[in-house]
């Protein structure tokens, strides 16, 4: 670009060199004609012819100068437009860079706010787990060897499955009859009622601190759901796995079943795909259990379960 500007500058200097002598000639020619008339006695008829000659010979030069100036001006304007376009492009890049920096700064601020709230919930979740251990000594088990959260929740989950299998065996004929009709909704409504009754009889609600424990799980999921739009996929996966590890594998199925049958956040479980953490390999589980959860989350979220 600098070479082009230098070239234009050199062209401009050449034009200026032509302008000066042509203007001098244009100014001198009338004086020359005057002296020709007064000193040499040339007639006006001859002067008229001379004037026509001067006019005819001068105008093309002046016209040429005008055209050259117009051409030069056009070139300069084109160069200026190129420079302006280049500057505008640089400005756009700078604006994009500033926009990205502001977006990153905004995300960082929001993520800091999310992390503060999330880990507060995790702390309260851990405190609730400790309370479960303390409160379990006042339940029907009394003082037993179940002195850890994992042992207590594992026992409740085993009790749940035992109760569920008993109810399925007792209602086997009715389940089979509904299955023969091919009415999927009626079948899952009935199966959901059996599962709901088994949860109620498992001892899940016999410990006072467990509802608080479930509440903080829901709160943590709500936080992740609320901030998911600013997270990359790996970030959301990280926090969901973090929550899952706090719930533990020994408790996840019971918590998922309870949240899908009794909880208010079925849509959040679906949006976060939190059912991916279900322990489908659990030795007492049935494929129907997980098909029920899949049906509630992805086919009929309004399924009525008493």
């Amino acid at each position: 670009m600098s070479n082009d500007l230098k070239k234009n500058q050199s062209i401009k200097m050449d034009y200026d060199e032509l302008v000066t002598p042509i203007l001098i000639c244009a100014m001198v020619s009338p004086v020359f004609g005057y002296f020709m008339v007064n000193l040499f006695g040339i007639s006006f008829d001859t002067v008229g012819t001379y004037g026509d000659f001067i006019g005819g010979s001068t105008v093309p030069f002046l016209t040429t100068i005008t055209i050259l100036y117009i051409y030069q001006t056009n070139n300069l304007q084109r160069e200026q437009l190129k420079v302006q376009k280049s500057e505008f492009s640089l400005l756009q890049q700078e604006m994009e860079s500033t926009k990205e920096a502001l977006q990153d700064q905004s995300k960082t601020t929001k993520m800091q706010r999310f992390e503060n709230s999330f880990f507060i919930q995790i702390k309260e979740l851990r405190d609730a787990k400790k309370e479960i251990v303390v409160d379990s000594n006042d339940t029907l088990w009394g003082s037993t060897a179940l002195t850890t959260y994992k042992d207590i929740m594992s026992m409740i989950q085993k009790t749940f499955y035992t109760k569920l299998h008993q109810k399925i065996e007792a209602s086997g004929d009715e389940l089979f009859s509904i299955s023969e009709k091919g009415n999927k909704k009626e079948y899952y409504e009935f199966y959901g009622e059996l599962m709901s009754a088994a949860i109620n009889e498992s001892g899940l609600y016999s410990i006072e601190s467990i509802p608080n424990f479930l509440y903080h799980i829901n709160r943590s999921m709500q936080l992740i759901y609320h901030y998911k739009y600013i997270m990359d996929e790996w970030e959301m996966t990280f926090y969901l796995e973090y929550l899952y590890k706090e719930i533990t594998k020994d408790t996840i199925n019971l918590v998922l079943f309870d949240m899908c049958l009794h909880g208010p956040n079925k849509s959040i479980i679906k949006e976060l795909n939190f059912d991916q953490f279900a322990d489908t390999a659990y030795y007492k589980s049935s494929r129907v259990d997980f098909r029920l959860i899949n049906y509630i989350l992805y086919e009929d979220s309004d399924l009525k379960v008493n």
Side-chain angles (χ1 to χ4, degrees), residues 160 164 167-168 175 184-200 257 260-262 288-289 292-293 295-296 303-306:
F160 156 72
L164 178 60
K167 293 180 183 301
I168 291 172
L175 272 173
K184 183 188 290 187
K185 182 172 184 176
E186 184 181 355
Y187 179 83
Y188 282 126
E189 278 182 350
F190 187 75
Y191 196 94
E193 289 174 2
L194 298 180
M195 182 179 282
S196 179
I199 291 174
N200 292 333
F257 296 154
C260 290
L261 292 170
H262 304 143
V288 182
D289 303 338
L292 169 64
I293 299 308
Y295 180 81
I296 291 174
L303 185 73
K304 304 298 181 185
V305 177
N306 297 324

Side-chain angles (χ1 to χ4, degrees), residues 184-286:
K184 183 188 290 187
K185 182 172 184 176
E186 184 181 355
Y187 179 83
Y188 282 126
E189 278 182 350
F190 187 75
Y191 196 94
E193 289 174 2
L194 298 180
M195 182 179 282
S196 179
I199 291 174
N200 292 333
E201 296 174 18
S202 67
L204 182 67
Y205 301 118
S206 63
I207 300 176
E208 292 183 1
S209 52
I210 286 184
N212 188 46
F213 165 73
L214 296 173
Y215 168 77
H216 288 301
I217 292 175
N218 275 294
R219 288 275 291 177
S220 300
M221 291 182 63
Q222 287 174 351
L223 273 171
I224 297 173
Y225 176 76
H226 181 72
Y227 284 93
K228 73 170 187 169
Y229 73 97
I230 63 168
M231 295 187 196
D232 294 330
E233 186 175 348
W234 72 267
E235 291 174 312
M236 192 165 72
T237 300
F238 172 82
Y239 289 110
L240 287 172
E241 289 181 348
Y242 200 103
L243 177 60
Y244 161 69
K245 288 177 182 178
E246 289 296 328
I247 299 171
T248 73
K249 183 178 180 180
D250 302 280
T251 312
I252 189 63
N253 284 356
L254 182 59
V255 169
L256 270 174
F257 296 154
D258 180 67
M259 290 172 69
C260 290
L261 292 170
H262 304 143
N265 295 323
K266 288 181 282 188
S267 61
I268 292 180
I269 297 172
K270 173 184 174 181
E271 290 296 325
L272 297 179
N273 194 27
F274 196 66
D275 54 307
Q276 66 180 296
F277 296 107
D279 184 12
T280 56
Y282 188 74
Y283 72 102
K284 285 191 174 185
S285 64
S286 167

Side-chain angles (χ1 to χ4, degrees), residues 53-248:
F53 169 74
I54 295 297
S57 60
T58 305
V59 170
F61 288 104
L62 295 175
T63 303
T64 301
I65 293 173
T66 302
I67 292 172
L68 291 175
Y69 266 110
I70 291 172
Y71 177 75
Q72 181 186 22
T73 302
N74 180 62
N75 284 340
L76 288 173
Q77 288 178 343
R78 289 171 64 183
E79 291 300 326
Q80 288 173 351
L81 287 174
K82 288 181 181 179
V83 172
Q84 289 175 354
K85 184 177 179 180
S86 176
E87 290 176 349
F88 182 72
S89 178
L90 291 173
L91 180 61
Q92 280 186 318
Q93 293 176 6
E94 185 177 350
M95 290 177 66
E96 286 295 328
S97 178
T98 303
K99 181 180 177 182
E100 291 176 3
L102 289 173
Q103 288 176 339
D104 290 341
Q105 184 178 0
S106 177
K107 178 181 176 180
T108 300
T109 302
K110 290 178 180 178
M111 283 300 295
Q112 288 175 346
R113 189 185 310 159
F114 161 75
E115 288 176 352
N116 290 337
S117 301
F118 179 77
F119 286 109
I120 287 173
Q121 291 301 317
I122 292 296
K123 181 183 181 303
E124 294 183 356
L125 185 62
R126 290 172 179 171
D127 291 340
K129 288 162 67 175
K130 293 177 184 178
E131 287 297 320
I132 289 173
V133 177
V134 174
D135 292 346
S136 66
N137 293 323
D138 299 326
T139 65
L140 54 89
W141 292 299
S143 298
T144 66
L146 302 176
T147 57
T148 67
Y149 158 82
K150 179 179 178 180
D151 290 338
I152 294 166
M153 297 304 290
S154 180
M155 177 60 69
I156 295 175
Q157 184 161 274
K158 287 178 182 178
T159 304
F160 156 72
Y161 274 113
T162 300
K163 295 289 184 181
L164 178 60
H165 292 165
Q166 290 173 353
K167 293 180 183 301
I168 291 172
E169 289 178 4
S171 306
D173 292 340
E174 191 171 355
L175 272 173
F176 179 77
S177 176
I178 296 173
S179 177
E180 286 294 303
K181 295 178 183 177
N183 190 326
K184 183 188 290 187
K185 182 172 184 176
E186 184 181 355
Y187 179 83
Y188 282 126
E189 278 182 350
F190 187 75
Y191 196 94
E193 289 174 2
L194 298 180
M195 182 179 282
S196 179
I199 291 174
N200 292 333
E201 296 174 18
S202 67
L204 182 67
Y205 301 118
S206 63
I207 300 176
E208 292 183 1
S209 52
I210 286 184
N212 188 46
F213 165 73
L214 296 173
Y215 168 77
H216 288 301
I217 292 175
N218 275 294
R219 288 275 291 177
S220 300
M221 291 182 63
Q222 287 174 351
L223 273 171
I224 297 173
Y225 176 76
H226 181 72
Y227 284 93
K228 73 170 187 169
Y229 73 97
I230 63 168
M231 295 187 196
D232 294 330
E233 186 175 348
W234 72 267
E235 291 174 312
M236 192 165 72
T237 300
F238 172 82
Y239 289 110
L240 287 172
E241 289 181 348
Y242 200 103
L243 177 60
Y244 161 69
K245 288 177 182 178
E246 289 296 328
I247 299 171
T248 73

Side-chain angles (χ1 to χ4, degrees), residues 7-55:
K7 183 178 178 181
N8 287 332
Q9 289 175 355
S10 63
I11 293 173
K12 181 180 179 181
M13 290 177 64
D14 292 339
Y15 293 165
D16 290 342
E17 291 175 0
L18 290 173
V19 168
T20 303
I22 291 174
L23 287 176
I24 291 173
C25 290
M27 294 173 64
V28 169
S29 60
V31 177
F32 178 75
Y34 175 79
F35 282 106
M36 289 290 290
V37 172
N38 289 280
L39 294 181
F40 299 103
I42 298 175
S43 69
F44 280 103
D45 293 336
T46 306
V47 172
T49 304
Y50 175 76
D52 292 338
F53 169 74
I54 295 297

